[in-house]
Amino acid sequence: MVEYPPQHGECDSPNGCRLFMRSVVRELVYLSDRKLRQFLPDSGKRVPRGMWQVNTPLGGFGVQPDPPDADEVRSDRLRQVVKHVSTSARWFSEPNLSSGSWIQFEAPMNYRTLRGAAPGMALFVDPPHPVGGYGTGGAVRLLLHGSAQHLGSGQVPVEANSPAVSETRLIGEASDGSLLTHLVKTSAGRVINALSNHPDASSDDPPALISPLTLAEGTQQLLIALDRQLLPETAAWMRGFARVTAALNAPDTGGERIRYVIGTPLYVEYVPNES
């Protein structure tokens, strides 16, 4: 739980701009101190703290002030990063997002780790169907990936079953009549591997990913597997900023075209209930 000073965030959301980081206590779901340090590195110079001089009739003495509170330093650093990022961030459901750019999001989301695949990676995913107050209605799927180590204190994600990450393919027949097979990664396996090895949100370098076709197919397989296990009713409203890993169209299935927005979050917080 961190208390932030007032700050007004701006966005291009068709639903209107939203206020982030208001002067209330926020419950963070995800935040990496390491990302904050990378984004705003320390200068390397140690600035001595000032000393107060107290004079009395018997003489003077110095008083060293208390060091700044760790949460205060952390919230100040995050406020600076958000102020910088919000100047260029676009709303996540806008078209033509580019890899490496910043997005602002607010959506109902579940978060999970994958059982038996990409240990240590946490995934945030929105519902595949319309939910009250959620404007995209499944037409834009938001998938965020990051390190489970960056989840807030006490946040223990439930494991979800991973889609098949490999499959056996027939490559021929041996002279004795036995079948020759080869174990290969599925598209989902390649996507999971790429996301788990993706650089932090603080990196300015666009990700070196797999082919767009494999990315689209693998993301579809991953979302199908997660959607079968997650209930829209368990999705909590969350918001924050993320750097776009990739934004692309889903494979064409003959129905409504769906866009995937994949990103790695700078921070994620619960949206407080407005009273």
Side-chain angles (χ1 to χ4, degrees):
M1 306 282 282
V2 181
E3 185 172 354
Y4 299 104
Q7 177 171 326
H8 293 268
E10 296 183 354
C11 69
D12 294 323
S13 167
N15 299 323
C17 294
R18 306 177 187 275
L19 298 180
F20 276 20
M21 315 287 283
R22 284 173 255 178
S23 57
V24 295
V25 174
R26 297 303 196 198
E27 185 175 359
L28 292 176
V29 184
Y30 184 99
L31 172 66
S32 170
D33 288 321
R34 178 163 55 89
K35 289 179 181 177
L36 294 182
R37 288 193 298 269
Q38 290 173 344
F39 207 99
L40 287 174
D42 295 328
S43 64
K45 298 180 180 179
R46 298 184 62 86
V47 179
R49 299 196 305 270
M51 181 174 288
W52 301 333
Q53 184 69 27
V54 179
N55 296 312
T56 72
L58 300 179
F61 59 92
V63 178
Q64 189 76 47
D66 292 333
D69 180 75
D71 283 342
E72 181 182 344
V73 173
R74 187 186 193 209
S75 62
D76 182 66
R77 185 183 294 270
L78 178 58
R79 184 179 66 249
Q80 293 179 60
V81 173
V82 170
K83 182 178 180 180
H84 173 75
V85 168
S86 62
T87 60
S88 61
R90 298 173 60 191
W91 196 248
F92 78 98
S93 60
E94 290 182 25
N96 304 318
L97 298 174
S98 57
S99 297
S101 61
W102 286 99
I103 54 172
Q104 183 177 345
F105 64 89
E106 182 170 326
M109 306 193 82
N110 285 295
Y111 64 101
R112 295 289 189 272
T113 57
L114 294 177
R115 182 179 295 111
M121 182 174 69
L123 295 173
F124 294 78
V125 59
D126 67 350
H129 304 299
V131 175
Y134 189 42
T136 71
V140 178
R141 296 301 307 274
L142 180 62
L143 175 65
L144 304 178
H145 60 97
S147 171
Q149 295 179 349
H150 299 162
L151 292 170
S153 172
Q155 303 286 345
V156 180
V158 178
E159 287 187 324
N161 293 322
S162 170
V165 296
S166 60
E167 61 185 8
T168 302
R169 292 184 181 176
L170 179 65
I171 59 175
E173 184 176 341
S175 57
D176 61 359
S178 61
L179 299 179
L180 299 176
T181 60
H182 180 58
L183 192 65
V184 298
K185 280 189 175 182
T186 62
S187 294
R190 294 180 183 276
V191 167
I192 292 171
N193 183 69
L195 298 185
S196 64
N197 292 320
H198 185 268
D200 286 329
S202 54
S203 171
D204 285 323
D205 298 326
L209 275 176
I210 49 188
S211 71
L213 177 60
T214 301
L215 178 59
E217 291 178 346
T219 302
Q220 182 184 53
Q221 294 169 9
L222 176 58
L223 288 175
I224 288 175
L226 292 173
D227 291 341
R228 288 172 177 168
Q229 303 171 69
L230 303 178
L231 298 174
E233 291 78 9
T234 64
W237 278 91
M238 303 181 189
R239 65 190 180 190
F241 288 88
R243 190 185 286 277
V244 176
T245 304
L248 70 164
N249 289 327
D252 189 1
T253 58
E256 181 183 4
R257 292 306 301 268
I258 298 173
R259 287 191 295 116
Y260 297 148
V261 177
I262 308 170
T264 179
L266 175 65
Y267 83 95
V268 181
E269 67 173 347
Y270 286 116
V271 176
N273 293 324
E274 302 292 347
S275 56

